[in-house]
Amino acid sequence: AQKITQTQPGMFVQEKEAVTLDCTYDTSDQSYGLFWYKQPSSGEMIFLIYQGSYDEQNATEGRYSLNFQKARKSANLVISASQLGDSAMYFCAMREGLGTGNQFYFGTGTSLTVIP
Amino acid sequence: GAGVSQTPSNKVTEKGKYVELRCDPISGHTALYWYRQSLGQGPEFLIYFQGTGAADDSGLPNDRFFAVRPEGSVSTLKIQRTERGDSAVYLCASSGQGAQEQYFGPGTRLTVT
């Protein structure tokens, strides 16, 4: 079974609008971390936001927020007030366990295009 | 400060040749990871170092792949007898003590002809 599933290969959003990128995960661990990364066409993976499995509040970082629904095993990324520079691939990732050294499992990504 | 750097940025090699890919992590980061990203896919884990030792090499696809980190800083991923299926972007990431996130380098695009 896939650890991370991203079902939207491509998304379009109007500039200044909000957009939600979907992510579901599969783990039997009680302790895990969820991450979102942005990958522009230059190729570098840019860390956006982190949510721990025990965190009760949804994580927020500027225009990014993570809609964490533990019972549904979903960790959707919400980008508010989209900008042209947000056009990129977005990857959801999970790390199982408490150890910060454990590997990340990545989804297949969602390509976001912001339309002016 | 400087981020994770990787060299070369691009490498074209012939099938059967040996290649080395280098990663220079963020200064002071003890954890170092190698991932491989094929076209249209997310990164896939290869190996994780904590200090000088490989703490988890379960992602290495076969014994043609090997990685070292002799002084706990720079790491080299070595691929012997390259095959066309090895063509991908090889990403390196590092992480600070106790930190949750991993910081990625720009990757090395390997093309095996």
Side-chain angles (χ1 to χ4, degrees), chain B residues 16-43:
Chain B
K17 299 289 189 184
Y18 168 83
V19 296
E20 290 189 351
L21 312 179
R22 175 188 166 109
C23 171
D24 201 340
I26 292 172
S27 178
H29 279 193
T30 56
L32 185 146
Y33 309 79
W34 284 98
Y35 292 84
R36 178 168 71 174
Q37 186 175 22
S38 301
L39 196 63
Q41 300 295 318

Side-chain angles (χ1 to χ4, degrees), chain A residues 35 37 39 42-45 47 50 91 95 100-104 106-108, chain B residues 33 35 37 40-43 45 48 56 58 98-102 104-106:
Chain A
F35 303 79
Y37 281 82
Q39 188 175 43
S42 59
E44 193 157 347
M45 300 283 283
F47 167 71
Y50 160 78
F91 290 95
R95 188 204 63 241
T100 54
N102 294 346
Q103 61 168 289
F104 280 14
F106 285 87
T108 52
Chain B
Y33 309 79
Y35 292 84
Q37 186 175 22
Q41 300 295 318
F45 170 77
Y48 152 56
D56 183 357
S58 62
Q100 300 295 337
E101 67 273 21
Q102 297 177 12
F104 283 78

Side-chain angles (χ1 to χ4, degrees), chain A residues 27-64:
Chain A
T27 182
S28 56
D29 283 14
Q30 296 300 309
S31 303
Y32 50 89
L34 297 158
F35 303 79
W36 277 91
Y37 281 82
K38 173 184 178 181
Q39 188 175 43
S41 56
S42 59
E44 193 157 347
M45 300 283 283
I46 301 167
F47 167 71
L48 296 177
I49 196 165
Y50 160 78
Q51 178 87 40
S53 59
Y54 295 115
D55 295 341
E56 295 184 353
Q57 302 275 357
N58 285 343
T60 60
E61 287 287 347
R63 295 185 299 110
Y64 304 108

Side-chain angles (χ1 to χ4, degrees), chain A residues 82-102:
Chain A
S82 296
Q83 302 172 356
L84 295 178
D86 294 336
S87 293
M89 284 291 293
Y90 288 80
F91 290 95
C92 179
M94 175 177 67
R95 188 204 63 241
E96 291 178 315
L98 284 173
T100 54
N102 294 346

